[in-house]
Amino acid sequence: MRARVIAGGVVTSAAVLVIGWQLGGQPAVTAQSGAATGSTSGSSSSSGTGSSSSGTGSSSSDSGSSSSDSGSSSSAGSGTSSSVSGTFAGAATQTQFGPVQVQIVVADGKITDVTALQLTDRDGRSEQISQQAAPILRQEALQAQSAKIQAVSGATYTSEGYTTSLQSAIDKAGL
Amino acid sequence: MSVTTFETMGTVVSVRGAATATVSAVRAVFAGYDRRYSLYDPASVLSRIAAGSLRLADSPDEVRAVYALALEWRDRTGGAFTPHRPDGVIDLSGVVKALAIRAAGAALDAAVAPGDSGDASWMLNAGGDVLVRGRHGADPWSVGIVDPDQRDVVVGVVQLDDRRAVATSGTAERGEHVWRRSAPTFRQATVIADDIVTADVLATAVVAGDEDDLRRITGDGTVDVLAFGVDGRVWATPGATGLVRAGSPSPAA
């Protein structure tokens, strides 16, 4: 469809291609009202998930060899993972912007949406106020890949950073 | 699928496809490497060498073997990868995590019952460095590569069909000890290889090096690389080109 991957396919050496894909050139932030949440959002209006797991704070990663809990899904624990569906939120952690957690929506073992939730602590209780921070998984990447992944590889996360990472949400989903 | 996580080496390890007892063995492997090589632990062998209280020549054979391995990789990467910090301290972090992953993989293999070694499957992810065996059900194990700008955005998926290891190095990471020789050319590099040590070391070397280093590293065609330049360009070996399919004219089946 878009030709930008190929457009810059200049062979600069025998083994390496330059893909003319400007990271900054494409709006990385797709409209939050996009289709991804809509199609699978049966369980994604998850203020309940958000507020319930935020209490665990950032301490969950030191808990030794703990099996991951299943988020709001009932099917994460056992058997083949292809049938996992549901909404899973990583633990909330304190950042300079306030508490943040990553939430994924899984349908039949595939990640269909990822959202960074920002929580605010008001009157002693956390609540979800915004999903705008980081709409994740570019729409076209989702279409191409269907995001059926069990691991994420990027710059190494710290043990603190893990709690809010995509990997943490995937682990909780048991993908 | 059951997933177990634990904290070690300043990051979190996720294990899939392992029994509880096996995960304990995996934990012990990481803890052992951390105890010997961590520069955050003043009692580690390497900290004592750095402090001058232990001579390298008097250190355990195993530690010197790891140092020798790191020097070998320094030569193979033309110095882009180095175990020497700018201040002269020997820092083996660049190989130790990968060696721990490899050893943990051996522990996972050892736990496989003799009868079903053919279809045993597991996945180890240590802070984004991934080693697998077998498959994830009917599918290959799949690893999402994240956008260097947004760590929750997946820009490509590596399917580990023939190869077993994926490692990513980037400027955003901490504790990974990338020492550049010049102004940075790449801010994130993912290497897909047959083994985790090669993948991890070369990912570090790409981020530490420049375009010439990347050409050298990919020249023999034994690894695939996806690298994000600081100028916004994305570099990929032919085998890795399909990983970033965003906007590809030929949609995936």
Side-chain angles (χ1 to χ4, degrees):
Chain A
M1 302 182 195
R2 295 191 189 90
R4 60 196 159 81
V5 165
I6 299 302
V10 180
V11 180
T12 57
S13 78
V16 179
L17 297 176
V18 177
I19 300 178
W21 178 43
Q22 298 291 330
L23 265 183
Q26 175 72 9
V29 178
T30 53
Q32 183 57 24
S33 58
T37 42
S39 60
T40 55
S41 62
S43 57
S44 70
S45 57
S46 60
S47 55
T49 310
S51 57
S52 66
S53 62
S54 63
T56 57
S58 57
S59 64
S60 64
S61 68
D62 4 308
S63 59
S65 177
S66 61
S67 279
S68 75
D69 299 320
S70 56
S72 60
S73 165
S74 57
S75 61
S78 61
T80 61
S81 59
S82 60
S83 61
V84 173
S85 296
T87 302
F88 302 89
T93 196
Q94 278 296 336
T95 72
Q96 55 180 317
F97 310 109
V100 169
Q101 71 184 151
V102 172
Q103 173 183 286
I104 61 174
V105 178
V106 179
D108 290 335
K110 296 179 184 177
I111 300 170
T112 56
D113 189 40
V114 184
T115 313
L117 303 178
Q118 265 192 300
L119 312 170
T120 187
D121 192 55
R122 207 189 297 164
D123 302 329
R125 209 186 18 203
S126 293
E127 63 181 74
Q128 178 185 331
I129 56 164
S130 169
Q131 296 195 12
Q132 69 186 2
I136 316 258
L137 288 184
R138 276 167 229 251
Q139 208 54 31
E140 58 268 41
L142 261 183
Q143 287 163 2
Q145 308 290 353
S146 70
K148 196 164 186 176
I149 54 176
Q150 299 83 45
V152 175
S153 188
T156 306
Y157 38 79
T158 62
S159 45
E160 295 82 19
Y162 169 81
T163 60
T164 55
S165 70
L166 182 54
Q167 183 69 49
S168 173
I170 289 171
D171 288 346
K172 280 197 157 54
L175 297 182
Chain B
M1 167 166 284
S2 71
V3 183
T4 309
T5 60
F6 61 88
E7 195 176 333
T8 186
M9 295 184 171
T11 187
V12 172
V13 173
S14 305
V15 187
R16 283 165 168 76
T20 307
T22 313
V23 173
S24 298
V26 167
R27 282 173 67 101
V29 167
F30 279 96
Y33 275 89
D34 207 22
R35 202 177 308 121
R36 284 188 290 279
Y37 300 100
S38 172
L39 285 173
Y40 298 99
D41 175 3
S44 76
V45 173
L46 227 51
S47 287
R48 285 185 286 140
I49 292 172
S53 60
L54 177 68
R55 293 195 312 154
L56 185 63
D58 296 331
S59 67
D61 289 347
E62 189 192 327
V63 172
R64 281 181 289 134
V66 170
Y67 182 50
L69 177 76
L71 291 176
E72 194 181 304
W73 277 109
R74 181 193 62 178
D75 295 343
R76 286 167 70 174
T77 59
F81 175 90
T82 176
H84 299 139
R85 246 165 44 182
D87 63 2
V89 165
I90 297 172
D91 186 339
L92 300 178
S93 324
V95 288
V96 161
K97 186 167 73 166
L99 288 171
I101 295 170
R102 187 166 74 184
L108 285 162
D109 280 345
V112 171
D116 55 21
S117 58
D119 48 7
S121 293
W122 47 258
M123 171 186 260
L124 260 177
N125 182 1
D129 293 341
V130 181
L131 180 67
V132 304
R133 173 173 173 170
R135 300 171 74 80
H136 180 247
D139 302 322
W141 291 107
S142 297
V143 181
I145 300 173
V146 299
D147 188 322
D149 286 331
Q150 295 174 273
R151 67 194 192 108
D152 299 319
V153 176
V154 172
V155 294
V157 175
V158 179
Q159 295 199 321
L160 290 170
D161 234 338
D162 304 321
R163 292 188 162 144
R164 294 186 58 196
V166 180
T168 300
S169 188
T171 54
E173 64 198 271
R174 291 192 293 172
E176 202 67 13
H177 311 279
V178 176
W179 301 299
R180 298 172 189 289
R181 293 183 294 187
S182 56
T185 304
F186 300 104
R187 56 204 182 122
Q188 179 173 301
T190 297
V191 175
I192 305 139
D194 293 331
D195 72 278
I196 189 64
V197 177
T198 301
D200 203 6
V201 167
L202 293 184
T204 303
V206 170
V207 170
D210 56 21
E211 295 179 12
D212 289 336
D213 292 308
L214 177 62
R215 290 191 186 93
R216 199 159 38 237
I217 286 165
T218 54
D220 65 359
T222 56
V223 297
D224 276 311
V225 178
L226 184 70
F228 294 80
V230 294
D231 58 3
R233 286 186 298 171
V234 180
W235 299 62
T237 54
T241 305
L243 299 179
V244 181
R245 293 179 185 161
S248 165
S250 55

